[in-house]
Amino acid sequence: MKDLTIAARINILFIVAALLLVGLATWYTAYREYHIALDQTLQASAARVLSRPDLQLEIYERDREALERVLGDFFESPAVTLAIARDSLGEVLAERHRAASPSARSPSFKQLRQELSAVDTGLVALDRDGDSAGTGLWSAIAGTDLPLHLSIPVFTSANAGQKGLKAIDFVDALGGPTANGSLRVIGYVQLGIERAALLQAAGPAVRR
């Protein structure tokens, strides 16, 4: 550096500063696009649960075949590779995996819900030891093979503790005057979200 002229040193500083700015801009773009892809997946999944009121009856009747058919719809989101229906206590009623996707180990219901209340939608990530991990971009890069786990409550206005309910009972409860005020959780839809797919969705914007 002693032999460099002042102009050369200034040029080097400008080059280093430019490279740092490019790196920061690339990281910001990746961060933004990753979270856009994640948010779109979360919103689409929650909307799909709300659009399937038949889930209430199928969970109540513990109808595995019917639940498996419904769970298949969640694979319309490219990042979703695992779909599980659980009852309100967390027991698995039905489970489906996306074809040709690696089978991810599902967390226990306690790990899945952690400190959430029964009515909350939750997103959790676990590391290779089963401990809680981050859900952001850096965690996705460090563990692309470790999925995120989304759990969405399924609500009903019917008295699910009563035996012998029929489809019409759920329809009547849904349209009743006190429907919104008497909602209770009848079960959960659990989805495994592949972080590699979220990173792939962010890729085109980063490469521009």
Side-chain angles (χ1 to χ4, degrees):
M1 288 289 287
K2 288 182 179 180
D3 296 330
L4 293 176
T5 65
I6 293 176
R9 293 178 185 181
I10 291 174
N11 285 338
I12 290 173
L13 287 175
F14 272 116
I15 291 170
V16 171
L19 290 174
L20 286 174
L21 288 174
V22 170
L24 288 172
T26 301
W27 177 261
Y28 171 77
T29 301
Y31 177 89
R32 182 192 64 201
E33 295 299 320
Y34 170 83
H35 282 278
I36 287 174
L38 175 58
D39 289 344
Q40 288 175 342
T41 300
L42 300 183
Q43 292 169 12
S45 299
R48 196 159 283 122
V49 169
L50 290 175
S51 72
R52 296 303 302 254
D54 50 325
L55 270 169
Q56 302 173 32
L57 177 64
E58 288 154 3
I59 290 174
Y60 173 79
E61 293 182 337
R62 309 176 79 83
D63 188 336
R64 182 177 61 83
E65 291 185 2
L67 285 168
E68 286 178 348
R69 287 194 295 271
V70 174
L71 292 176
D73 292 344
F74 289 92
F75 296 135
E76 291 180 16
S77 293
V80 174
T81 58
L82 169 68
I84 296 175
R86 295 177 180 266
D87 66 14
S88 60
L89 298 178
E91 182 180 345
V92 174
L93 304 178
E95 179 173 342
R96 286 194 64 174
H97 295 257
R98 183 188 292 275
S101 293
S103 297
R105 183 182 68 84
S106 174
S108 68
F109 189 62
K110 183 177 180 180
Q111 289 174 311
L112 182 68
R113 298 297 295 170
Q114 297 187 359
E115 302 301 321
L116 294 170
S117 72
V119 299
D120 288 335
T121 293
L123 180 69
V124 300
L126 303 175
D127 62 20
R128 301 184 196 283
D129 296 322
D131 297 323
S132 294
T135 60
L137 175 60
W138 180 251
S139 296
I141 294 173
T144 55
D145 59 324
L146 300 175
L148 302 174
H149 302 282
L150 175 66
S151 57
I152 307 169
V154 179
F155 294 97
T156 184
S157 299
N159 181 8
Q162 182 179 338
K163 294 182 178 180
L165 295 182
K166 303 298 182 184
I168 189 61
D169 298 311
F170 285 87
V171 173
D172 289 344
L174 190 62
T178 62
N180 290 333
S182 61
L183 291 175
R184 52 182 67 84
V185 175
I186 194 173
Y188 296 89
V189 170
Q190 172 192 340
L191 302 175
I193 299 173
E194 187 179 59
R195 287 194 268 201
L198 298 177
L199 292 171
Q200 186 176 5
V206 175
R207 290 191 291 269
R208 285 179 196 156

